[in-house]
Amino acid sequence: MDIYGGEVNRLIEELSHLPGIGSRSAQRIAFYIIGMPEERAMALSDAIVNAKKNIKYCKECFTITDKEKCPVCSAAGRDHKTIMVVESSRDMAAYERTGKYEGVYHVLHGVINPSQGIGPQEIKLKELMVRLRGDVDELIIATNSSVEGEATAMYISKLVKPAGVKVSRIASGVPVGGDLEVTDEVTLTRALEGRIEM
């Protein structure tokens, strides 16, 4: 039975496609948006449209940004000889929240997962190898502790070692199967400080 009409139902339907948003949450958010002052609703709409139009990959680390180079890569005080490899921009943000890492990043945008048809070519490994031709002392692999994350870490390690770059893996302060995005800053810092050479 159609209670609200087409536009409300469409808004609820679109919101329910967002990750972690079920039908009840979508309905609550829809009613919240409908109840917002028009200028706030338009500001939200503009922010979504502008982000979609203007967000691109940083030309160095491949995180999302609206500039040619992200703020981390363009920061003068960062150690560009140390690169931390992460699965996603959210993982990068998690490490940045610790305030303890002074190097730069490389965002893979996924992990090797043959069951989903994701091979080395589908993630940013080729771009990582290009970066390693420069002046790099250490590569820290900070993929998640999942089966796919571990497999990707081993693959990268075997690929990079012949280049003579030190390869280390974050320590096991991060729980197996846990996502970096939701891990607290203290645990992430301990994992970084306790990394081991691969």
Side-chain angles (χ1 to χ4, degrees), residues 5 10 47 81 83 88 101 108 121 132 134 148 157 166 184:
R10 180 172 173 237
K81 292 184 176 188
I83 299 174
S88 71
Y101 179 65
L108 292 173
Q121 306 83 349
L132 293 177
E148 296 81 13
S157 176
K166 177 183 176 186
D184 66 277

Side-chain angles (χ1 to χ4, degrees), residues 22-51:
S23 59
R24 283 187 180 172
S25 293
Q27 188 176 29
R28 268 195 310 277
I29 295 168
F31 285 129
Y32 181 81
I33 291 170
I34 291 165
M36 291 169 108
E38 187 171 346
E39 59 275 1
R40 285 211 42 230
M42 294 309 292
L44 174 62
S45 171
D46 288 347
I48 292 169
V49 170
N50 288 335

Side-chain angles (χ1 to χ4, degrees), residues 11-97:
L11 179 58
I12 292 169
E13 175 69 22
E14 291 301 323
L15 290 169
S16 71
H17 292 299
L18 296 171
I21 305 293
S23 59
R24 283 187 180 172
S25 293
Q27 188 176 29
R28 268 195 310 277
I29 295 168
F31 285 129
Y32 181 81
I33 291 170
I34 291 165
M36 291 169 108
E38 187 171 346
E39 59 275 1
R40 285 211 42 230
M42 294 309 292
L44 174 62
S45 171
D46 288 347
I48 292 169
V49 170
N50 288 335
K52 193 64 184 157
K53 281 184 187 174
N54 299 317
I55 298 295
K56 54 189 164 209
Y57 291 144
C58 170
K59 71 176 190 175
E60 280 191 29
C61 74
F62 298 93
T63 192
I64 55 173
T65 185
D66 59 352
K67 297 180 173 46
E68 198 69 21
K69 284 171 68 173
C70 75
V72 172
C73 288
S74 57
R78 300 303 287 233
D79 173 11
H80 287 262
K81 292 184 176 188
T82 304
I83 299 174
M84 181 187 292
V85 178
V86 294
E87 292 180 23
S88 71
S89 296
R90 293 185 313 265
D91 295 340
M92 177 179 161
Y95 265 104
E96 278 301 287
R97 282 194 306 269

